[in-house]
Amino acid sequence: MAQTPDPASPDAPAQESRPKVLINPPVFFSSVAIIAGLVLFSVIWPSTAETFFTDIKDWIISEAGWFYVLTVAILISLVFFLAISRYGDIKLGKDHSEPDYSYTSWFAMLFSAGMGIGLMFFGVAEPVLHFGDPPMADPGTIAAAKEAMRATFFHWGLHAWSIYAIVGLILAYFSFRHNLPLTLRSALYPLIGKRIYGPLGHAVDVFAVVGTVFGVATSLGFGVEQVNAGLNYLFGVPKNEWVQAGLIIAITGLATISVVTGLDGGIRRLSELNLGLAFLLLLFVLCMGPTVFLLKAYVQNLGSYLSELVNMTFNLYTYQPKLEDGPQDWMGGWTLFYWGWWLSWSPFVGMFIARVSRGRTIREFALGVMLVPAGFTLFWMTVFGDTAIQMILDGSYPQLATLVEEDKAVALFRFLEQFPWSGFISGVATLMVVVFFVTSSDSGSMVVDMLASGGHDDTPVWQRIFWASSEGIVAIALMLAGGLGALQAATIASALPFALVLLLACFGLLRSLKVEGIRRQSFQTNLGTAPAAIHVGHTPPSGGWKTRLRGMVSFPNRVRVLQFVREVATPALNAVADELRGHGLEVEVREGDDRATLVVSHAEETDFVYGVRVRGYTRPSITMRQLDHAKRNPDRDQYFRADVFLREGGQDYDLMGFTREQVISDVLDQYEKHMHFLHMLR
């Protein structure tokens, strides 16, 4: 594998002030030009544009549908493999990294950014539509109901989240583990090396920016229909394009405020709010509807889905006659459409998921992204979808099927009419739709801003406002001109080239993980029996057992450890550096306020990095009792260590008490392991 760039410490202090402009010019200006060109094309010649892009989409679905199916099958298999493999313990970040967000916040942001808005739109509509037009069963029968729920689970379950998971995993791994930019180009680093910083890398990021802007814009354009339908139902607000344009402006304004306040201030809180509202609405329908029936249906639906998972994954209805409104036509209109849509959205959603997942292990990430949101999604579909189908089957609301077929946007509100306090509940549902749109728009804006700035997340405010408002402007322009259909078709068609890029990126990920596995094996086996290994695998301080014991119960302050780094560790690193330079190697010793780092360059192979950093820890409770509580202060409640950091992250052992020669010996121990790793890699 090509050498990764020099790792900058994630612990380094952030810049005190933001620059006024922070963009990657080739990506920023090319993206703006392409977006403007496509919008003008769709606005000036909407019919031509829609015909052109729709023909491309239809051709891809007809002739390359098998490739979509095969790609998604490979992706879901790969995610499960990584979750159960030996690579599952690898962290998406340095070895010492901890997750940035709690499980609750993490799941909330996954859910809101991934497909929360889709559940509001299709939770009732899709099961009812499949019930009236199943691929194989007779419409309106018990068999059709079972097939409808199985198909809904299939479209919204593990396959969709596996696409998001693999993109997010690739980006998080290369960004947080190897210090590459958090942009789509980084996924290709194992294959093309430093050329990701050239025209090819720029093209990949431009593709992601354009796809994200149009994906969010078309979703805004079509989705405000549901908001408009809710307001029409509640307050009699007219249903027309100008009202919807006003709604887009309002939603975009809220999204702009959210993205300006940042990930922690706006996006996280809105996501948590929406998850809470979604849970309450779900609980309301579950309790007020046929509760026992729904619980039994969920278990049966889940069993039916899992038992048919492999068959549904690869089923193209190849042996069925190619008839109008037949199984193959249904496949193209539903399954292949969904696969194309999930793939086209995956750069945006995957990148956002990566951004909020630093510090998780690969296993934790894969299972969390796959199982938790999918489990909630499938339960949601059961509660809303099976309740709606039951209303039709038992004759309590047979006209629901016709109403949904006529207008999918009103499906949820027509459904909620049958429940107590329908006006209030519909108001809550409308609020949820709005908030889901805001979270999709603000997370999309954040992702686009990062892509256009080269992976930075500390961009100037005006850039965030620019991209957030751009999505709204594009949506309004296309909606009023009738060009949304064209851009939706173009977005789906873009999934084909991205599927090729994604498969190459998966190969690169596996290649890099293989290298990581070799590195770990090398470190575990090399020097394992050496005498130096008696102290956490490394050379212990001298002086016998009393000195060793004194080191265990000593809790030095920051000043003492800083003095050790300056007077012992840094000279030791400089001595090793001087000797290595004498052997023709390129070596650098970097000194910081609280650290010293030795970097040995190995050209196209992996560099060796050995650092000593001052890190603070909370005193054990046994030592706290020794302090006078009246004199306690935060500084005295901490102790400090001179911890060793390698390229992979913190190694969880302390050098305090080591002599200069012993630090040198420890450096050589680690360098010998690194050389053994390079030997095994060759």
Side-chain angles (χ1 to χ4, degrees):
M1 185 180 98
Q3 174 197 340
T4 52
D6 180 31
S9 169
D11 302 318
Q15 295 181 354
E16 294 184 0
S17 61
R18 292 178 180 172
K20 294 182 179 179
V21 178
L22 191 58
I23 62 172
N24 185 359
V27 176
F28 184 90
F29 292 111
S30 298
S31 300
V32 171
I34 293 173
I35 291 169
L38 288 174
V39 170
L40 288 174
F41 176 49
S42 301
V43 169
I44 298 174
W45 301 287
S47 299
T48 305
E50 185 165 6
T51 301
F52 176 74
F53 290 121
T54 300
D55 288 345
I56 295 176
K57 182 198 72 174
D58 292 342
W59 181 88
I60 290 174
I61 289 177
S62 174
E63 303 301 325
W66 64 270
F67 180 71
Y68 277 19
V69 169
L70 183 60
T71 298
V72 174
I74 292 172
L75 297 181
I76 190 173
S77 302
L78 180 59
V79 174
F80 276 116
F81 165 75
L82 293 175
I84 64 174
S85 71
R86 60 191 178 112
Y87 306 127
D89 294 329
I90 297 173
K91 279 195 174 184
L92 301 175
K94 302 302 183 183
D95 289 340
H96 62 281
S97 301
E98 296 295 331
D100 294 335
Y101 301 98
S102 66
Y103 279 115
T104 301
S105 296
W106 187 49
F107 291 140
M109 288 188 283
L110 296 182
F111 178 76
S112 296
M115 55 182 62
I117 187 61
L119 299 187
M120 301 298 295
F121 195 88
F122 286 104
V124 173
E126 183 168 343
V128 171
L129 290 172
H130 290 327
F131 176 67
D133 184 24
M136 297 295 293
D138 293 328
T141 62
I142 299 295
K146 295 178 180 178
E147 195 165 280
M149 295 310 303
R150 187 164 58 245
T152 303
F153 272 38
F154 181 51
H155 294 151
W156 292 85
L158 298 176
H159 292 75
W161 285 101
S162 69
I163 298 171
Y164 293 160
I166 199 65
V167 175
L169 178 59
I170 291 170
L171 295 174
Y173 175 79
F174 287 114
S175 177
F176 303 139
R177 189 80 179 168
H178 294 287
N179 294 294
L180 291 166
L182 187 56
T183 62
L184 197 61
R185 71 176 72 200
S186 298
L188 299 180
Y189 189 86
L191 303 177
I192 63 176
K194 294 183 179 180
R195 283 179 291 173
I196 64 168
Y197 299 107
L200 185 58
H202 298 330
V204 172
D205 283 352
V206 168
F207 173 86
V209 170
V210 174
T212 300
V213 169
F214 283 134
V216 174
T218 52
S219 295
L220 276 173
F222 287 113
V224 291
E225 294 179 12
Q226 191 176 31
V227 180
N228 198 175
L231 295 176
N232 176 262
Y233 174 81
L234 292 170
F235 309 110
V237 175
K239 294 176 64 177
N240 58 60
E241 292 180 341
W242 292 104
V243 172
Q244 292 166 16
L247 290 171
I248 292 177
I249 293 173
I251 292 171
T252 302
L254 293 172
T256 302
I257 296 172
S258 177
V259 79
V260 168
T261 57
L263 188 61
D264 294 329
I267 299 175
R268 178 178 63 85
R269 292 176 180 175
L270 282 176
S271 298
E272 291 174 349
L273 169 65
N274 233 19
L275 183 63
L277 291 175
F279 181 78
L280 291 175
L281 181 60
L282 178 72
L283 193 63
F284 173 81
V285 176
L286 176 65
C287 294
M288 294 297 161
T291 308
V292 176
F293 165 77
L294 292 175
L295 295 175
K296 292 165 65 177
Y298 180 65
V299 174
Q300 183 167 329
N301 292 341
L302 194 61
S304 177
Y305 167 61
L306 293 176
S307 65
E308 291 289 324
L309 188 62
V310 175
N311 179 53
M312 289 189 297
T313 298
F314 294 95
N315 188 9
L316 284 161
Y317 299 99
T318 305
Y319 297 101
Q320 300 297 323
K322 196 169 183 179
L323 304 172
E324 187 176 353
D325 296 329
Q328 292 191 40
D329 199 40
W330 181 92
M331 176 83 177
W334 284 101
T335 303
L336 296 181
F337 176 86
Y338 271 125
W339 288 180
W341 189 250
W342 300 144
L343 283 166
S344 65
W345 264 63
S346 62
F348 146 51
V349 180
M351 197 170 156
F352 180 79
I353 291 174
R355 173 63 181 82
V356 301
S357 300
R358 178 165 50 195
R360 308 267 175 204
T361 65
I362 288 179
R363 180 173 297 109
E364 187 180 17
F365 178 93
L367 295 178
V369 175
M370 283 277 287
L371 300 182
V372 177
F376 185 89
T377 299
L378 299 183
F379 191 59
W380 179 283
M381 289 298 188
T382 295
V383 170
F384 285 82
D386 264 313
T387 302
I389 291 175
Q390 188 69 8
M391 289 178 179
I392 301 171
L393 279 174
D394 64 14
S396 62
Y397 196 18
Q399 62 269 36
L400 180 61
T402 304
L403 293 171
V404 171
E405 190 173 349
E406 289 175 353
D407 188 358
K408 294 189 289 291
V410 302
L412 177 64
F413 303 106
R414 295 297 187 187
F415 170 79
L416 293 175
E417 286 179 351
Q418 305 304 303
F419 290 86
W421 313 299
S422 60
F424 173 75
I425 299 301
S426 294
V428 173
T430 303
L431 175 64
M432 288 176 60
V433 173
V434 172
V435 179
F436 270 129
F437 271 122
V438 172
T439 54
S440 295
S441 181
D442 60 14
S443 54
S445 302
M446 186 195 74
V447 166
V448 170
D449 190 29
M450 292 178 65
L451 286 165
S453 65
H456 296 279
D457 59 1
D458 56 348
T459 56
V461 172
W462 75 264
Q463 289 179 212
R464 305 183 190 187
I465 295 174
F466 173 81
W467 289 113
S469 57
S470 295
E471 293 167 354
I473 293 170
V474 170
I476 293 172
L478 293 173
M479 183 186 66
L480 295 178
L484 281 172
L487 266 299
Q488 187 184 40
T491 303
I492 302 300
S494 69
L496 180 61
F498 180 71
L500 294 169
V501 173
L502 186 54
L503 290 176
L504 290 174
C506 290
F507 176 75
L509 174 66
L510 290 174
R511 186 176 176 183
S512 185
L513 288 174
K514 182 180 179 182
V515 172
E516 185 105 14
I518 293 173
R519 186 199 309 272
R520 291 194 164 202
Q521 182 182 0
S522 171
F523 281 17
Q524 291 172 359
T525 59
N526 186 42
L527 302 178
T529 59
I534 62 175
H535 180 70
V536 202
H538 304 277
T539 307
S542 60
W545 68 271
K546 291 184 179 180
T547 301
R548 184 179 176 188
L549 178 61
R550 187 164 54 251
M552 292 178 185
V553 298
S554 173
F555 300 93
N557 58 28
R558 180 179 175 86
V559 174
R560 282 182 57 195
V561 182
L562 285 171
Q563 183 181 8
F564 170 83
V565 173
R566 286 194 304 268
E567 298 179 0
V568 179
T570 302
L573 297 183
N574 280 315
V576 175
D578 291 339
E579 185 66 21
L580 289 171
R581 290 189 188 103
H583 291 275
L585 292 171
E586 183 180 341
V587 188
E588 181 183 4
V589 176
R590 302 170 185 169
E591 298 182 41
D593 293 337
D594 61 350
R595 69 194 65 186
T597 306
L598 172 74
V599 181
V600 184
S601 178
H602 283 268
E604 293 301 315
E605 296 185 308
T606 306
D607 293 345
F608 172 70
V609 179
Y610 182 101
V612 184
R613 302 182 192 175
V614 178
R615 298 192 74 191
Y617 299 86
T618 303
R619 282 179 175 267
S621 58
I622 188 172
T623 67
M624 299 292 283
R625 290 196 296 268
Q626 300 170 7
L627 299 176
D628 184 358
H629 288 268
K631 298 180 179 180
R632 260 209 214 155
N633 59 67
D635 291 336
R636 294 187 65 187
D637 290 351
Q638 278 194 316
Y639 74 99
F640 293 83
R641 303 194 338 166
D643 281 355
V644 173
F645 283 72
L646 302 180
R647 184 183 186 87
E648 298 73 36
Q651 299 302 295
D652 294 324
Y653 70 95
D654 181 19
L655 293 184
M656 280 297 292
F658 280 42
T659 66
R660 179 174 174 270
E661 292 299 320
Q662 289 165 343
V663 173
I664 292 174
S665 178
D666 190 66
V667 175
L668 296 182
D669 285 348
Q670 294 289 6
Y671 189 58
E672 188 171 0
K673 290 184 177 183
H674 183 77
M675 295 301 291
H676 183 69
F677 156 68
L678 295 182
H679 164 71
M680 294 181 65
L681 193 59
R682 296 185 192 109

